[in-house]
Each structure stands twice: as structure tokens, then as C-alpha cells.
Amino acid sequence: MNERNISRRSFLKGMAATTALSASAMMLAGCGAKGGDSGNAGGNAGTAASNTADMDVENLSFPLAEQAVMTGLISYPAGTESEPNNRTIFKRLEEKTNVHIEWKAIQADQWGDKISLEMSNIKTLPEFVFTAGFGDTDLLKYGKQGVIIPLEEYIDKYMPNLMKVFEQAPEYRSMATDADGHIWALPWIEQLGSEKTAIQTVGNNMSYINKAWLDFLGLSLPTTTDEFEQVLIAFRDNADKLKAEFGIDGDIIPMSCIMNDQDPCLLINGFGEGYGDVDMGRHICVTNDKQVICSATQQGFKDGLAWLHSLYEQGLIDQEAFTQEWSTYVAKGKSGRYGVCFSWDVANIVSISMDDLIAGKGWVPLPALKKDVVNVTPHNGSFTSGFDRGRCVVTANAVNPALVCAWLDQMYDPFQSPQNNWGTYGEDDDFDIFVLGKNANGDDMLQHAPLGDASPVEVREAEAVGGPLAILDSYYGVYVTCPDDAQYRLNWIKDIYTPDMHSDYVFPNVFMTADDNKECSNLSADISKAINTAKSDWVMNGVTDEQFEQLKSDLEAYGLSKYLEIHQKYLDAYYA
């Protein structure tokens, strides 16, 4: 998920990256604790276990002649193996490198609550945090506090696999680097498509329509808002017929969603100038004149929500759309009650096989609907999506940071990264994500196994380890095949949505300064709350011109102009 042409528009172009570590960070990096108790998964992996202080890394090669022991912190999905070293991927990595990791493992659904506490006590931190997932504010804060160390010097000297990634796609190094030239974390990169065909150009609000219902009622796939409304009415008025034909238990729901999450914002892209409101976190988009604007202050936003209100008044939108949680949303979908729904993948919501999805049976994506215009606004950051800037950090407790980075560089091996990301092969269990095959040149290649009735999410969680990695588009067909469940989505985007993406720019994935990041975060709190509240209220109760003007006035009072000014500054620098 990468926009290749940003390498020539690098956001940090002209900013010289420093090659020397700060004196304080160097001092902290060299002063890891030498005593204490070693840890294990679910226990305490402190710095004591490391035996690497005196190891020479200038001529390093794996496997090491003598085993090294390092400490790491990692998360794992609930219901899966809690001891990382029992996972096949880490077993093979230990054999390959002769490096043993003593892990502290935290269940993923507890990570958010526990990681801040872990990072607050530098004395007990392990040498690296494998699945940190830190935001920009955290990276800059922990860097300033000396809890984590800058990595650019180590990357240049000890991480050849990552360097190859940066050479092939320089934009990722730019996005990983702060305004002072420091790289505080090792990224996660997953390319699937590029620019307007990238898999994340349409996010969790991709709209799907029940084609089986359309076919049964003799209806065509709608292409305008008026046609769509008539389809929903037909679903409502033929509810008894649909229930009898498809054996549905429960009321027919013509359209369901989760407002401000799995949201119908794609449907209102046809109103006004066609911006919609796809960035539900920031509510911004970029015009073709490279101006950052607020989507909620555009006339199309107001007109689109007024239309959704008319659907709601007619009983065409789920009454629980404003309050339901994910589990409720899915339960009703799995019961076969929906005519239209929204999600990343419709298989998350309804019961349907991958074969039927690929064949266009049962459910199909709903194309952009025309009202005033036809347009699909791509998601911000999506041209370079599949990027987590703060995936893995090295702490100031690293006894030998160079060796830590050299080991972490193995995650960027193009044969290793797909396994860390999705799963592995040759395990002694019921199902593997991959089988080991050959590419056109006769070299080993990871081939995605047919999913059958297995849940890809569950299998991946059972096998994968996450962490820092990189999968570039150039890897497919050479090191790994493209996942089937990604490929059909990529095909849908390319064939159905890309032709209607008339927006040429998205707001890029930039690394703001600490001050700008903080100010945007503070301003966003009131701005987003006001917009999200208005969206739900207007769909339920309707909107007047006076209410729309009041929202714009309130947003200005909350600092919208300053908010847009900060974003504009970064957009201008990015494209300079």
C-alpha cells in the first residue's frame, strides 16, 4: 500500500539526517543493567538476561558462534500461544541466528493498559519492544526522556535488509524520520497495491449490497442515489418474501452500519463537490489544488446527511446504527438480515464463502452513487498505507544496541517478513497459512494455502508474530503469493472504485513535530466530537441551514482554521 512517486517528493527533502547519536542517548544505551533476575513470557524480561555487552559486532554474521541472550517485550492475541518461543517462527529464528530471546508477553487486549506502565519504569524494561505500535507522540516523548534510543546510525551500519527496503522505497525512510533526522522506531510496512489502487484507499466503510436479494427481486445494481433509495424500499416492502425465500429469522434490515465507524460516508460522496467524510478521525481531505479542507464544512456533507435522514425516516436504516457495538452488528449480519452493510470485508459481517465472493455471488461491492457528481475520495495516507511508524523500539537498556538491531534486521528479510506478518509453513497442526513452493526461477516461495472453511484471521493470529517487517509489491510472485482475501479486494478497488477516484491527493503520512502533534491532538478533540455528534444527530433528526451554519461557527471557535493551517504546512512541505 504505497504511492511510489512520493520518493521524489520526500517530505523531509532538504532536511539532513544526523548520523551521530546524541551524547545522552549513547550514554543511556551503553548503561544497561547487568544484574537482576531474567524473565520469561508473561513474567519479567528485564535487562539482566543479556550476555552481549562485550560481543564484537563489526564482523557480525548469523548464526553466532556462541549463543547470545537478549530480552524483549511482545503482545499476543487472546486465545493463542502465550509463550513466544513456542511459536514455530521464533524457533526457526533462534536456530538461524543462535540468539535466544527471553520474552515478557502481554495479551493483546491488555496491551493498551499495560504498555504505558511498562515504559514508565526504565529499570525493568527489556532491550526492545517488538510490537510497540507507538504513535508519534509516544515516540517523541520516550525519545526525549531517553527511554528509547535513535536508530538511524544502527540502521545504516547493521541492518542491510532494512536498508534494501529503504533503497527500493525511499519514502518509507522519510516517513520514519522525525524533523530532527532521528528514526525512533522500526516500521511495519505492507504494500498491497499502490496509489489509487492501494488496498486501503477505501477503508472500513466499503459498502456492500446483497446481490442475492437483488436477483430474487429482479433489481439491478443501483448507480445513483435515487436508484439506491428505491432498492432499499424494495427490500423493506418485500421483507416477508425475502424472509421466506432465504430462511431469515428476524426482521429485514435494508441497511445497517455503525455510525462514525463502519460508516455510510461513501454513499454521500456524490453530493456537492464529492468529498464525503472518509477520514472519520480528522475530517480532512485534500483538493486537487493541494488545499487541506474540512470535509464537514462542505455543502455536500450537509446535503448527504439530509438524504440519509430521509432514508432513516422511511425505516430504511437500522435503528441501532448509532449505538450498536461490533458484536451486535456482526450477529445480525450473520443472521442474514442485511440488504446493505459496511466493513473492510463483507465476510466479517455476513456468512459467505471466499469462492462466492470471488465469483460475485451473494454479496458485491456497491459502486459510487451519483447525485451531483460521481467520486470516491481515497483515504488519507492510503497512497502510502500499510505503514506503522512506531512498530518496534530499542530501549536505553539495550546492552548491545548494534546486536539488537542486527537481530531485528532479520525480520526484514524478504522471505521472513511475510511469515511474521501472516503465518508460516510446515507446522505440525491442522492448518498453515503457507506451503513451501517454488517461484518461476525455481527458488523457494511462500505460497498461500487455500483457506477453505478456516478463518484466515484465526490461523494468522495462531502463527504470525507481527513486529517490524516489510512486504513490498515487488515481493509478490518472487518470495510470496498475494493473499486470496487481499487479492479480491484489490480487484474490487481497481475495477469498481479507482475509475471514480477523481481526487488526486490524500493527506500523507507525515511525522509532525511534538508541538504540532500536541496542538493538532488538542484541537481535534473538540472538532471531531462536534462533527461526529452532528453527523449522528442529523441522520436521526434532520438538519437545517441554521444548524449547518452553527456547526461551521462552532468548529471555527474550536480552532478549525489553526488545525487546517498546521496540516497545510505539512502538506506544502511534503510536496515541495
Side-chain angles (χ1 to χ4, degrees):
M1 290 168 282
N2 160 276
E3 184 185 18
R4 294 301 181 93
N5 66 0
I6 75 159
S7 61
R8 61 180 183 272
R9 306 173 183 148
S10 170
F11 167 65
L12 293 174
K13 184 177 181 181
M15 295 185 181
T18 59
T19 56
L21 301 177
S22 67
S24 60
M26 282 290 283
M27 182 169 62
L28 282 165
C31 296
K34 302 294 192 293
D37 296 330
S38 63
N40 49 55
N44 294 311
T47 60
S50 185
N51 63 347
T52 64
D54 299 324
M55 185 171 293
D56 178 20
V57 294
E58 292 304 317
N59 299 302
L60 181 71
S61 64
F62 293 115
L64 302 176
E66 294 185 21
Q67 186 182 69
V69 179
M70 299 189 302
T71 58
L73 181 61
I74 192 172
S75 64
Y76 66 92
T80 69
E81 175 59 61
S82 62
E83 167 53 69
N85 286 324
N86 286 341
R87 291 181 181 252
T88 299
I89 287 174
F90 282 135
K91 288 179 181 179
R92 289 174 178 160
L93 278 167
E94 182 163 343
E95 293 174 1
K96 176 183 176 182
T97 62
N98 201 20
V99 174
H100 177 75
I101 308 298
E102 295 200 343
W103 296 101
K104 179 172 184 179
I106 297 174
Q107 191 165 293
D109 57 6
Q110 301 172 18
W111 184 263
D113 295 330
K114 293 186 176 181
I115 187 59
S116 296
L117 183 62
E118 294 286 340
M119 298 300 291
S120 69
N121 189 351
I122 193 170
K123 294 181 179 179
T124 60
L125 271 178
E127 296 180 90
F128 63 93
V129 184
F130 193 73
T131 53
F134 289 149
D136 295 352
T137 300
D138 291 325
L139 293 178
L140 294 171
K141 176 181 68 175
Y142 294 137
K144 183 178 181 179
Q145 293 172 347
V147 177
I148 61 176
I149 63 173
L151 301 176
E152 59 275 4
E153 183 178 85
Y154 296 112
I155 292 171
D156 292 341
K157 293 181 66 174
Y158 304 109
M159 301 191 72
N161 288 318
L162 180 54
M163 285 295 291
K164 288 179 182 178
V165 173
F166 285 164
E167 289 166 5
Q168 291 183 61
E171 58 269 31
Y172 287 123
R173 180 159 194 151
S174 296
M175 291 191 294
T177 306
D178 75 4
D180 294 323
H182 291 309
I183 298 176
W184 293 106
L186 301 176
W188 170 89
I189 299 167
E190 182 197 74
Q191 287 186 353
L192 284 163
S194 62
E195 301 184 33
K196 291 185 180 182
T197 65
I199 200 168
Q200 289 186 342
T201 51
V202 183
N204 286 338
N205 43 30
M206 184 180 279
S207 50
Y208 301 93
I209 190 164
N210 194 325
K211 190 172 184 298
W213 289 11
L214 289 176
D215 293 343
F216 174 68
L217 297 175
L219 302 172
S220 300
L221 189 67
T223 59
T224 69
T225 56
D226 289 341
E227 290 174 359
F228 178 73
E229 185 170 342
Q230 292 307 308
V231 164
L232 295 184
I233 290 172
F235 289 166
R236 180 197 66 192
D237 292 349
N238 290 279
D240 290 342
K241 294 179 182 178
L242 292 170
K243 290 174 66 174
E245 174 68 18
F246 296 99
I248 298 168
D249 183 17
D251 294 336
I252 292 295
I253 301 173
M255 184 174 93
S256 188
C257 64
I258 301 178
M259 193 62 67
N260 295 315
D261 186 0
Q262 320 287 311
D263 182 295
C265 60
L266 189 63
L267 299 185
I268 67 171
N269 258 78
F271 289 82
E273 294 184 331
Y275 293 116
D277 185 38
V278 298
D279 188 339
M280 289 173 282
R282 291 174 292 190
H283 303 281
I284 61 172
C285 52
V286 180
T287 71
N288 284 350
D289 295 326
K290 297 179 185 174
Q291 295 298 307
V292 181
I293 62 173
C294 175
S295 53
T297 60
Q298 310 307 306
Q299 186 66 34
F301 179 80
K302 180 253 186 184
D303 292 345
L305 295 182
W307 172 67
L308 288 177
H309 170 64
S310 72
L311 303 184
Y312 182 75
E313 273 195 318
Q314 297 175 71
L316 304 177
I317 298 179
D318 193 343
Q319 298 290 305
E320 296 182 306
F322 312 93
T323 57
Q324 65 186 345
E325 296 184 354
W326 174 257
S327 58
T328 303
Y329 183 48
V330 171
K332 292 187 293 187
K334 296 294 184 183
S335 297
R337 299 168 60 190
Y338 295 157
V340 175
C341 62
F342 305 83
S343 184
W344 176 270
D345 188 337
V346 70
N348 295 333
I349 309 299
V350 305
S351 298
I352 188 170
S353 71
M354 183 176 296
D355 289 342
D356 282 347
L357 280 175
I358 294 172
K361 298 178 180 178
W363 285 82
V364 295
L366 182 70
L369 300 176
K370 181 179 181 180
K371 178 60 177 178
D372 304 312
V373 296
V374 179
N375 187 47
V376 175
T377 302
H379 277 237
N380 287 324
S382 63
F383 290 179
T384 52
S385 59
F387 180 77
D388 177 3
R389 188 168 13 248
R391 178 55 63 99
C392 175
V393 296
V394 178
T395 75
N397 277 343
V399 175
N400 192 330
L403 180 62
V404 173
C405 288
W407 185 81
L408 290 170
D409 186 56
Q410 304 307 300
M411 310 308 123
Y412 291 100
D413 179 284
F415 194 76
Q416 185 65 48
S417 284
Q419 296 180 69
N420 287 18
N421 197 45
W422 289 312
T424 191
Y425 63 93
E427 290 198 319
D428 186 19
D429 58 15
D430 294 333
F431 192 88
D432 285 331
I433 283 291
F434 294 115
V435 294
L436 190 60
K438 299 291 182 181
N439 62 22
N441 296 323
D443 298 322
D444 285 347
M445 180 173 71
L446 299 161
Q447 298 177 332
H448 278 86
L451 289 171
D453 294 330
S455 166
V457 173
E458 291 180 4
V459 176
R460 288 168 185 164
E461 287 184 345
E463 294 186 354
V465 298
L469 57 89
I471 303 168
L472 303 183
D473 280 337
S474 60
Y475 292 5
Y476 299 117
V478 179
Y479 302 105
V480 65
T481 57
C482 184
D484 289 342
D485 55 328
Q487 189 60 63
Y488 67 70
R489 181 180 164 91
L490 287 167
N491 292 340
W492 287 340
I493 290 172
K494 177 174 65 70
D495 296 338
I496 299 171
Y497 294 112
T498 300
D500 290 327
M501 287 184 190
H502 305 302
S503 303
D504 294 332
Y505 304 100
V506 297
F507 189 78
N509 196 328
V510 298
F511 202 158
M512 292 185 178
T513 65
D515 288 343
D516 285 342
N517 193 297
K518 181 179 180 180
E519 185 163 15
C520 275
S521 179
N522 290 338
L523 292 171
S524 178
D526 288 331
I527 291 171
S528 291
K529 181 179 180 181
I531 293 171
N532 289 339
T533 299
K535 183 188 287 187
S536 294
D537 179 52
W538 294 354
V539 174
M540 282 192 288
N541 303 308
V543 54
T544 64
D545 291 340
E546 290 75 19
Q547 287 174 313
F548 183 48
E549 293 302 318
Q550 184 62 53
L551 174 65
K552 292 192 285 187
S553 177
D554 290 345
L555 293 176
E556 194 57 40
Y558 293 144
L560 179 61
S561 290
K562 181 62 177 178
Y563 184 70
L564 295 177
E565 177 187 323
I566 295 172
H567 285 87
Q568 188 68 51
K569 177 178 70 173
Y570 284 89
L571 184 79
D572 291 343
Y574 183 85
Y575 285 112

